[in-house]
């Protein structure tokens, strides 16, 4: 009963943004937990994801691995500006009901930056859940080139070798290579069971627009930089190593020294804690700051 009373009193809407190759379903456990506590939650499918995803014919069983290297994908035309406009439109609608907390995980952090620049006056708090947050360094590509990112398992998880002109980063999540499975597990969900990891891989989508990681994703200091923000560090993350998370926090704090990150930590791998209540607890704490 106390949770229901608290949720009604907090009266925020959580807008949740997924990471690369994912979709709104990736937030499902946390969204369900927040909903059961009485919160309003919207998990967003970014353009080219979720029901709008393109799954190459060569990705289906039996796979045509040669064709998978060259089959075009419409997501190649998706830009960071497209993603930001899509999320900003959701924020505008959600704001009609009261304060909005905008949260992003992994690559979704870049879209959070860009969307915050479009509608800073409509967002009460930003949350980066082990998410990419360029500020002093312009792009995801620049962040991943830092020494702090050198131990990332993403460099061990070889993508499908598509030609640059295809404009996509493609990962064969349905690969039957045991070595790939083990690397993917270590990268994203090391403490999960093999069965849980297989279930996760089967909801991921193979294609992501290469333009997102190469785009300037820095938030503007006078827009993004004026919104209160929290970074939830995942201390067991091997995709975005803790050193990289801490670098992004420092960079952002130096960019807007009068509005520094509120920092929280969870002992979790890249996809988050096995118990969604732990992350829901952190988001509820953010909601209390918006009263």
């Amino acid at each position: 009963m106390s949770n229901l009373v608290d949720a009604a009193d907090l009266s925020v809407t959580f807008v949740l943004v997924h990471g690369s190759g994912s979709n709104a379903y990736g937030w499902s456990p946390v969204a369900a937990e927040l909903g059961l506590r009485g919160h309003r939650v919207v998990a967003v499918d970014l353009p080219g994801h979720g029901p709008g995803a393109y799954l190459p014919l060569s990705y289906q069983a039996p796979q045509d691995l040669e064709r998978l290297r060259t089959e075009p994908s419409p997501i190649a035309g998706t830009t960071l500006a497209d993603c930001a406009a899509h999320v900003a439109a959701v924020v505008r609608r959600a704001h009609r009901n009261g304060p909005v907390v905008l949260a992003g995980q992994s690559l979704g952090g870049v879209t959070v930056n860009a969307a915050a620049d479009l509608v800073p006056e409509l967002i009460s708090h930003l949350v980066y859940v082990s998410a990419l947050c360029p500020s002093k360094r312009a792009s995801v590509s620049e962040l991943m080139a830092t020494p702090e990112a050198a131990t990332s398992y993403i460099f061990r998880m070889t993508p499908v070798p598509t030609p640059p002109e295809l404009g996509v980063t493609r990962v064969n999540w349905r690969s039957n290579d045991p070595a790939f499975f083990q690397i993917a597990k270590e990268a994203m969900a090391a403490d999960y069971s093999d069965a849980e990891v297989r279930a996760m891989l089967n909801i991921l989508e193979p294609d992501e627009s290469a333009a997102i990681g190469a785009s300037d994703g820095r938030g503007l200091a006078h827009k993004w930089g004026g919104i209160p923000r929290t970074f939830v560090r995942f201390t067991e993350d091997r995709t975005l190593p803790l050193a990289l998370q801490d670098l992004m926090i420092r960079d952002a704090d130096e960019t807007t020294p009068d509005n520094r990150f509120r920092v929280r930590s969870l002992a979790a791998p890249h996809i988050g804690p096995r118990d969604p209540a732990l992350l829901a607890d952190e988001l509820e704490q953010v909601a209390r700051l918006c009263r």
Side-chain angles (χ1 to χ4, degrees):
M1 180 63 70
S2 60
N3 279 346
L4 292 177
V5 172
D6 287 347
D9 188 43
L10 299 180
S11 191
V12 305
T13 300
F14 294 99
V15 176
L16 309 177
V17 181
H18 63 79
S20 177
S22 191
N23 46 57
Y25 187 80
W27 278 103
S28 182
V30 175
E33 178 65 25
L34 288 170
L36 289 170
R37 297 181 186 194
H39 295 287
R40 293 188 297 268
V41 185
V42 180
V44 179
D45 282 308
L46 292 176
H49 292 277
Y54 177 78
L55 300 178
L57 184 61
S58 54
Y59 186 63
Q60 312 302 323
Q63 289 191 323
D64 183 341
L65 297 181
E66 186 60 38
R67 185 180 176 187
L68 192 60
R69 297 187 180 98
T70 58
E71 187 173 342
S73 171
I75 203 172
T78 301
T79 66
L80 178 57
D82 294 330
C83 295
H86 182 75
V87 171
V90 174
V91 169
R92 289 188 186 98
R93 294 187 64 188
H95 187 263
R96 298 171 189 171
N97 299 313
V100 172
V101 172
L102 177 60
Q105 200 271 335
S106 191
L107 186 63
V110 184
T111 293
V112 165
N113 279 12
D117 281 341
L118 296 179
V119 287
E121 72 284 1
L122 303 184
I123 301 170
S124 293
H125 207 103
L126 300 172
V127 184
Y128 295 79
V129 181
S130 196
L132 287 152
C133 180
S135 54
K136 294 176 70 174
R137 293 159 179 83
S139 67
V140 172
S141 298
E142 289 187 25
L143 283 170
M144 296 308 296
T146 61
E148 288 81 358
T151 61
S152 172
Y153 270 63
I154 201 167
F155 299 122
R156 307 185 191 189
M157 196 163 53
T158 308
V160 176
T162 56
E165 59 269 21
L166 210 60
V168 300
T169 300
R170 178 169 288 163
V171 180
N172 185 6
W173 302 114
R174 295 177 180 170
S175 171
N176 62 4
D177 181 356
F180 173 84
F181 176 86
Q182 191 59 40
I183 291 171
K185 178 179 179 178
E186 291 294 324
M188 296 186 290
D191 64 343
Y192 284 63
S193 70
D194 285 1
E196 289 169 321
V197 174
R198 289 191 189 95
M200 174 195 69
L201 296 181
N202 274 285
I203 67 167
L204 295 179
E205 300 162 5
D207 291 350
E208 189 61 69
S209 171
I212 306 299
S215 297
D216 189 334
R218 290 174 291 186
L220 299 173
H222 65 290
K223 293 187 176 181
W224 159 86
I227 306 170
R229 59 181 185 252
T230 291
F231 199 105
V232 181
R233 300 158 78 244
F234 285 170
T235 61
E236 307 302 319
D237 194 335
R238 296 176 184 174
T239 294
L240 300 184
L242 193 57
L244 178 59
Q245 296 176 57
D246 289 341
L247 173 67
M248 292 186 288
I249 293 168
R250 289 196 304 272
D251 281 356
D253 287 351
E254 290 172 8
T255 300
T256 58
D258 294 330
N259 180 32
R260 301 169 66 85
F261 263 117
R262 172 180 173 270
V263 180
R264 305 288 296 174
S265 299
L266 291 175
H270 189 63
I271 66 167
R274 296 185 72 182
D275 181 0
L278 296 176
L279 184 51
D281 287 344
E282 295 298 335
L283 292 170
E284 273 199 323
Q285 288 186 39
V286 169
R288 291 188 176 92
L289 300 174
C290 299
R291 284 188 288 191

